[in-house]
Each structure stands twice: as structure tokens, then as C-alpha cells.
Amino acid sequence: MQKKIIIGILIIWIFGMSLIGLLMPKRTFSEMENRYLAELPAISFSSIADGSFEEKFEVWLNDHFAMRDYFVRLSKIKTYALGVREFGDVYYAEDDTLLRKLSVNRERLDKNNAALIQYADAAEVPVDFALIPGAVDIWSAKLPSAAPHVDQKAMIQDVYQTVRQGTEALQKQQEECYVNCIDLYDTLAAHDEEYIFYHTDHHWTSLGAYYAYSAYAEAIGCPASAVTEYPDRLLSGNFKGTLYSDVPLPWIRPDEIHAYVPEGNIGVTVFDGSKYKEGRLYAEEHLQEKNQYTVFLGGNQPIVVIQNPEAGQEKLLIVRDSYMDSMAPFLTADFSELHLIDPRYYKQSLNQYIKEHDIDRVLICMSLSSYMESTGLPAVLR
């Protein structure tokens, strides 16, 4: 009898919560999970017959279940209480640090290596190449005991060796074919006890970006100013990034976002896919959003052009991912123009762009994860 009462209460509770979810105003985006929620599927005879409507409706109902955010958080707390420190592809590590595993896509990696080698064969300007290791490797000492992770240093070195061997083979056939592979791993590893990555997001901090910039500047013969020479502005003290969306444990402290503001009369122009418009190095209105990292340059855009007429004469084109958003301000000291191209959104020929804008040098710089997953890179480098 008691079992029947409990079952009855559970059925009433589930039905009641589902009914409340149906009647409540619907959200299209979950701030906590940082993703778009499922839309109510259209009903038709065919979708009912093949079962797709029932399947999509169940997903929609789960996404719009009353108090969903509360129950998602409660589920993560319960998982943690059971001693689990692996939440999907995110580790809960020491010092309340969230670290994302690296997913290896060897087939895509080989294709992008080949595309880079072929691009170097046709390039008419110097080509620099720098891969950014993830926090999960630089901070591997923080990982839970026996947690497996990919040796990103070895993988980056393997990519560099493949690119060097490919360009050397082409050099035997012609005079010029060279890619300047730049090591960022050792530079970041030398500062692994500093705040160089966010604890709740996969990106590096502005300090981490500075150390990477200093390594690049040294590699191309441009002396970097000490980080202490830049005015340090605290932009936010309550940043909870994309990894926190996956593991929203309430005791994890938010991150700080700092900006080391460069000097000079710096102008920013953004191409959003349809038109050019004025931009800023720090779009502080984005601090009111969930993803506060988009304060740097206003987030992902196909093209961003940064001009500093007080810097040197050279123009640098950067094929990049979002890590570059917080590194670009430092590069304004060395180049009169920076042209940032995101291969996820830019689909035109890079060589044509270089000719049209009198580019002097190319830097391909992105995280190892982005490089290994990029489907747009071969098209841009064609």
C-alpha cells in the first residue's frame, strides 16, 4: 500500500511539473547551460507515423521542464557528492578548476596539415604558425588522480614536424617554401603557477595571452614590453565561463577578466558577414551577458581590422580562433594593421585578401583543439 502511495505521489508530481512547464513562458536560450533550447516541433501525420514528433516533443519537454536549471544543478551536486570528478568531457580539478578534455580528430588534423603545407607553397609573404595548448595539459598536475589526458606538447611538436618536413620537401622543388613554427607551449608551461587560464572557461586569461604574445614577438624580432608597463583594468569579477555551464557547482568561484590596455590611437572595424561597422578592443556591454569573454572585440566575427597609425608599417593577417581576441591588443604595438580572419565564418580566398590589403605577414594561430576540428581552414588556405 505504501509503495502505491509513493508511486502515485511521484506520478502526480511529474505530471504537475510537466503541466507547469507547458504553461510557463518559454525560453529560447539557457543562460546557465549556455545553449539554445529545443523548439516545439511541428505536428504532422508523417512525423507522428515515423515517431519523430514523439522523440522531438520529449526533448522539448525536457528542455522546458519547470525549474529545469535548479534540477540540472542539483544533479551535478549529487554526482559530485558520489565522488565523481568527470562530467562528460570536463574534469573537476584542484582549486575548483574546470578543465576540458582534448578530443583527437586525426583525420581532420592530417587534412589541415596538408592544407597548410600547400598554402606555404603558394604564399608570397612570410607565414608564421603557432598552436595554443589547452589548460588541461598545462595544468595537468591539477587533474584528478589517474585521469587520462592527451600529451598536447608531443602532439603540437608532431604537427610542427609534419609541416616542416612537408615544406622542406617542397623547397627542393623551388626556392621559397617555409613556415615559421613558433613554440607557445614552453612559454605557457613556464608560468603554470600563474593565472594564465580561466578556472571556469576554456580560454586563456589576458596574462596568458600576454605571455604567448611575448613569445611570438621574440620569434619575429619585435621586443615585447613588460606586462607591468600596460595599465591593468579589471573588467569583471563575476565571470562564469562555458565550462561552468557544463559543471554549475555553486561553490566554484567566478573568474576575473583583466585587460592590459595598449596605448595609441587604435581603431577597430568589424565585418559581421554583411557590412563593416565600427568596433572596439573592449566591448564592455558584453559584460552584461553570460559569455563575458566576448568583451574582447565583441565576440566572434568573420573579419576584424585593428589599426594603429603610431605603430610600425607592417600589416599582419591572422587566421585565428577566439583565443586571439584577448591577444590582439598586444600586437597593436608592432603592426600598423591587424586583419583577423576567423575560418569558421570567412569563406573567401586568403591569397586574394592578402593582395587586396597589401598584407606583409601571415600568422596562423589557434588552439590545438580548434586546429584539429576546423573544417573551414582548408577552404581559407586554398
Side-chain angles (χ1 to χ4, degrees):
M1 181 66 181
Q2 184 179 8
K3 185 183 291 185
K4 290 182 179 180
I5 293 173
I6 293 174
I7 292 173
I9 292 172
L10 284 173
I11 291 173
I12 293 171
W13 182 80
I14 292 172
F15 178 78
M17 295 300 286
S18 299
L19 183 61
I20 292 172
L22 286 169
L23 297 175
M24 287 178 63
K26 299 299 176 288
R27 300 180 300 166
T28 59
F29 187 81
S30 170
E31 288 284 348
M32 189 184 79
E33 297 177 79
N34 195 34
R35 70 176 181 88
Y36 286 95
L37 300 176
E39 297 181 356
L40 182 64
I43 188 169
S44 65
F45 287 113
S46 60
S47 64
I48 293 175
D50 63 17
S52 61
F53 174 80
E54 181 181 354
E55 182 180 330
K56 292 179 180 179
F57 182 79
E58 183 178 353
V59 172
W60 176 84
L61 193 61
N62 287 336
D63 271 4
H64 296 277
F65 195 80
M67 300 175 65
R68 173 182 170 80
D69 287 354
Y70 169 79
F71 288 112
V72 168
R73 192 186 300 272
L74 189 63
S75 173
K76 301 296 185 182
I77 294 172
K78 181 193 73 172
T79 302
Y80 178 89
L82 292 173
V84 177
R85 297 297 180 267
E86 186 175 344
F87 297 79
D89 65 347
V90 178
Y91 289 119
Y92 178 92
E94 288 181 10
D95 304 323
D96 295 335
T97 303
L98 303 177
L99 300 171
R100 172 158 284 151
K101 304 175 194 175
L102 178 69
S103 177
V104 177
N105 186 336
R106 176 61 63 177
E107 180 181 0
R108 176 53 55 186
L109 181 63
D110 291 342
K111 288 181 179 179
N112 289 341
N113 287 343
L116 176 55
I117 292 168
Q118 290 301 316
Y119 174 72
D121 183 30
E124 298 179 359
V125 296
V127 179
D128 304 316
F129 180 39
L131 289 177
I132 305 164
V136 68
D137 196 75
I138 297 295
W139 281 348
S140 59
K142 296 177 180 284
L143 286 170
S145 177
H149 75 282
V150 176
D151 184 346
Q152 295 191 32
K153 179 174 183 177
M155 182 166 280
I156 290 172
Q157 288 176 339
D158 181 64
V159 171
Y160 286 174
Q161 182 178 7
T162 298
V163 171
R164 289 191 184 104
Q165 289 176 345
T167 54
E168 286 171 3
L170 290 172
Q171 276 182 328
K172 294 177 181 179
Q173 305 171 27
Q174 60 181 44
E175 295 182 2
E176 292 292 337
C177 182
Y178 178 72
V179 174
N180 180 24
C181 297
I182 298 168
D183 173 47
L184 301 183
Y185 188 100
D186 287 346
T187 298
L188 292 170
H191 298 276
D192 63 350
E193 295 187 1
E194 299 177 49
Y195 189 38
I196 57 174
F197 290 97
Y198 296 109
H199 289 231
T200 68
D201 195 75
H202 61 286
H203 290 103
W204 54 21
T205 62
S206 292
L207 182 60
Y210 165 77
Y211 287 131
Y213 155 71
S214 64
Y216 177 64
E218 180 180 354
I220 63 172
C222 296
S225 300
V227 70
T228 52
E229 295 184 23
Y230 294 89
D232 180 1
R233 285 186 58 202
L234 175 63
L235 297 180
S236 173
N238 63 344
F239 174 42
K240 294 181 178 180
T242 55
L243 301 183
Y244 185 84
S245 299
D246 293 328
V247 190
L249 299 173
W251 58 83
I252 295 178
R253 298 183 304 276
D255 280 298
E256 293 183 348
I257 297 179
H258 288 256
Y260 297 99
V261 184
E263 297 180 351
N265 183 25
I266 298 169
V268 180
T269 305
V270 173
F271 180 70
D272 62 7
S274 60
K275 62 182 183 301
Y276 281 94
K277 59 183 181 180
E278 185 178 357
R280 282 171 293 163
L281 286 180
Y282 309 105
E284 296 189 36
E285 66 273 13
H286 287 268
L287 295 173
Q288 308 305 315
E289 301 174 359
K290 170 67 171 65
N291 185 9
Q292 295 184 8
Y293 184 80
T294 57
V295 68
F296 297 106
L297 300 180
N300 299 327
Q301 304 288 352
I303 303 173
V304 178
V305 180
I306 306 173
Q307 297 175 311
N308 183 6
E310 300 171 13
Q313 296 301 311
E314 282 200 341
K315 300 178 182 180
L316 176 68
L317 184 146
I318 309 172
V319 180
R320 54 86 178 209
D321 62 5
S322 53
Y323 278 73
M324 182 54 62
D325 293 356
S326 53
M327 179 175 158
F330 298 110
L331 288 164
T332 59
D334 305 304
F335 296 91
S336 61
E337 290 184 11
L338 304 173
H339 293 250
L340 279 59
I341 301 292
D342 192 325
R344 292 172 293 181
Y345 312 107
Y346 183 81
K347 306 301 180 184
Q348 306 303 314
S349 166
L350 203 63
N351 281 331
Q352 185 63 34
Y353 188 97
I354 288 171
K355 291 177 182 177
E356 290 177 357
H357 295 86
D358 297 322
I359 300 297
D360 300 291
R361 192 179 198 101
V362 170
L363 166 63
I364 299 168
C365 182
M366 57 182 63
S367 68
L368 175 60
S369 176
S370 293
Y371 182 74
M372 194 155 35
E373 295 294 334
S374 177
T375 57
L377 194 58
V380 170
L381 297 179
R382 67 185 186 275

